[in-house]
Amino acid sequence: MSSANSLAVEDLGSAAQRDRRKRILDATYQLARDGGFDAVQMRAVADRADVALGTLYRYFPSKIHLLVSALGRTFEQAEAAMRGKPVPGDTAADRVISVLKKTTRGLQGDPHLTEALTRAFMFADASVAAEIHDVGMLMTSMLTHAMDPERGGEVTDDDVAIARVIGDVWLSALVAWVTGRSTAADTAQHMETAVRLLLRD
Amino acid sequence: MSSANSLAVEDLGSAAQRDRRKRILDATYQLARDGGFDAVQMRAVADRADVALGTLYRYFPSKIHLLVSALGRTFEQAEAAMRGKPVPGDTAADRVISVLKKTTRGLQGDPHLTEALTRAFMFADASVAAEIHDVGMLMTSMLTHAMDPERGGEVTDDDVAIARVIGDVWLSALVAWVTGRSTAADTAQHMETAVRLLLRD
DNA sequence: GGACGAAGTGGAACGTGTTCCTATTATGTC
DNA sequence: GACATAATAGGAACACGTTCCACTTCGTCC
């Protein structure tokens, strides 16, 4: 599902246009990875992509759309790479904490990229609600799977509710970490405490 | 206290200074309530508060500091209005839900204000940590008080941890509502579920 | 009262996201 | 090939957060 106003790949007829779009997204990715949200400046993106500023705005109507388009898929891939692998841990709480730690470590390996992505998502309005919802669903299913690895697709309402609460805590902790208000260790500790409160067996 | 922080009330010697600070926060509140984040423009705030732009920046080093401080004051007032009054509800969960509903209803009655304050909260970096910490402590103490109205200042570590998790859920739900990803009813339902998961007696 | 430093005023100026305009280049049609 | 239309280049212009500067007012100490 493409964003409401960005030009999607399938909307572009010519190879030159698809190439322009790719150059723009490449430039965005590099700038975000190297310098975070503030380094993704529209003139810099246009410059690096060898495209006029007006053209950039023709393809992506705002900096937020640009970042969400450029980084959304990267984020999904990073999350999906974790799916399917066996989750270590004897209790549900241990397994959930393991998943959370691995996910968080992955994001923290590219701090600038994560900062740019998180800021863009937090600033985004309803036009990117679908993408954000997808990420939330992915997170929830990852967590319910960690809670009940045996059970195939069968999860209780309680499990889903708990997973959503953990997802909320995770998001808050991520924002706090991205904005420099807490350290990686604080983030991990806080999430572990929350999980043990919710999954006390 | 470095110059990167907002000037707190207790730092201000003269009555004229306290009055300037109050006028600034009043102007911020009004602009935010009427037009949201984008309407809180520094020149407009300075203008309405009858203060020079440089003076505004002397009291609050950025728009984010300004908005977060305004949020803090609003919270203080809400908490003061609630203090002393008995919290209805027979169980801790009922009382916490009552407090959350009242607070949330207040915020949802002023959607523009809530949007402005939530955006500021999500965009705040480490330099606003002090102000955000104040808000977090206020929220936490409101919640722990609802959990144990009898106990004076005595709260367990568990109570504080639970209150923090509830605060995270509340913030996530607020962001979802502000960005149009969930309705007010969804928000209330989700928070109630989270509280009952955390405070099952 | 006078001196002096801190605080405030008024406004210019700068950076970056966004919009807009004109000239130029591709692209498709006859 | 000639033309019409769309896309792009190039860049000026605007909006708003932020910084800075020259000047004035306020408060305090002698």
Side-chain angles (χ1 to χ4, degrees), chain A residues 4-201:
Chain A
N5 297 324
S6 303
L7 266 60
V9 184
E10 54 267 25
D11 297 334
L12 301 173
S14 82
Q17 285 175 321
R18 282 193 297 276
D19 191 56
R20 271 194 199 89
R21 193 186 138 95
K22 181 181 181 305
R23 289 204 310 273
I24 290 172
L25 292 178
D26 287 347
T28 304
Y29 177 89
Q30 291 165 18
L31 288 167
R33 190 195 49 204
D34 292 348
F37 187 87
D38 288 343
V40 181
Q41 301 183 0
M42 300 305 269
R43 289 173 181 82
V45 171
D47 223 40
R48 186 178 289 220
D50 208 21
V51 142
L53 190 57
T55 304
L56 171 55
Y57 272 93
R58 195 177 143 61
Y59 280 70
F60 300 96
S62 79
K63 173 171 175 172
I64 298 300
H65 281 82
L66 177 59
L67 278 169
V68 169
S69 298
L71 303 178
R73 208 164 76 94
T74 301
F75 184 82
E76 277 179 16
Q77 285 171 348
E79 298 290 320
M82 218 160 289
R83 224 182 322 180
K85 293 185 180 174
V87 183
D90 293 335
T91 68
D94 285 345
R95 288 188 295 272
V96 167
I97 287 168
S98 165
V99 165
L100 285 173
K101 280 192 174 168
K102 192 180 285 187
T103 304
T104 305
R105 248 199 319 274
L107 292 176
Q108 288 171 342
D110 255 329
H112 286 146
L113 195 62
T114 304
E115 186 248 2
L117 173 70
T118 306
R119 281 244 152 100
F121 269 37
M122 290 297 104
F123 218 73
D125 59 6
S127 75
V128 280
E131 284 87 344
I132 296 182
H133 184 256
D134 287 348
V135 174
M137 286 279 93
L138 207 56
M139 191 76 197
T140 302
S141 74
M142 271 176 53
L143 291 172
T144 53
H145 177 255
M147 285 158 62
D148 287 308
E150 269 90 62
R151 206 155 7 174
E154 294 276 329
V155 285
T156 66
D157 288 350
D158 242 32
D159 285 351
V160 173
I162 289 173
R164 286 188 61 195
V165 171
I166 293 174
D168 288 344
V169 174
W170 179 75
L171 184 63
S172 294
L174 193 63
V175 170
W177 173 72
V178 154
T179 54
R181 305 202 306 264
S182 75
T183 67
D186 288 340
T187 303
Q189 179 57 50
H190 183 209
M191 287 191 313
E192 179 156 352
T193 302
V195 170
R196 298 219 182 276
L197 279 172
L198 286 160
L199 292 173
R200 47 196 166 192
D201 299 317

Side-chain angles (χ1 to χ4, degrees), chain A residues 37 119 122-126 129 132 158 161-162 164-165 168-169 172 175 179-181 190 193-194 197-198 200, chain B residues 37 119 121-126 129 132 158 161-162 164-165 168-169 171-172 175 179 181 190 193-194 197-198 200:
Chain A
F37 187 87
R119 281 244 152 100
M122 290 297 104
F123 218 73
D125 59 6
I132 296 182
D158 242 32
I162 289 173
R164 286 188 61 195
V165 171
D168 288 344
V169 174
S172 294
V175 170
T179 54
R181 305 202 306 264
H190 183 209
T193 302
L197 279 172
L198 286 160
R200 47 196 166 192
Chain B
F37 187 86
R119 281 252 157 94
F121 211 96
M122 291 295 97
F123 224 70
D125 65 0
I132 288 187
D158 243 31
I162 289 173
R164 285 187 63 195
V165 171
D168 286 345
V169 174
L171 186 63
S172 294
V175 171
T179 55
R181 305 195 321 258
H190 180 45
T193 303
L197 280 172
L198 286 159
R200 46 195 166 195

Side-chain angles (χ1 to χ4, degrees), chain B residues 17 20 43 50-52 55 58-59:
Chain B
Q17 285 175 320
R20 269 192 202 90
R43 290 174 181 84
D50 209 21
V51 142
T55 304
R58 175 175 228 304
Y59 280 71

Side-chain angles (χ1 to χ4, degrees), chain B residues 40-57:
Chain B
V40 180
Q41 302 183 359
M42 300 306 267
R43 290 174 181 84
V45 171
D47 224 38
R48 185 177 291 219
D50 209 21
V51 142
L53 190 57
T55 304
L56 172 54
Y57 271 93

Side-chain angles (χ1 to χ4, degrees), chain B residues 23-36 39-40 48 73 113:
Chain B
R23 289 205 310 272
I24 290 171
L25 290 178
D26 287 347
T28 304
Y29 178 89
Q30 291 165 18
L31 288 167
R33 189 196 49 202
D34 292 349
V40 180
R48 185 177 291 219
R73 198 184 62 160
L113 182 68

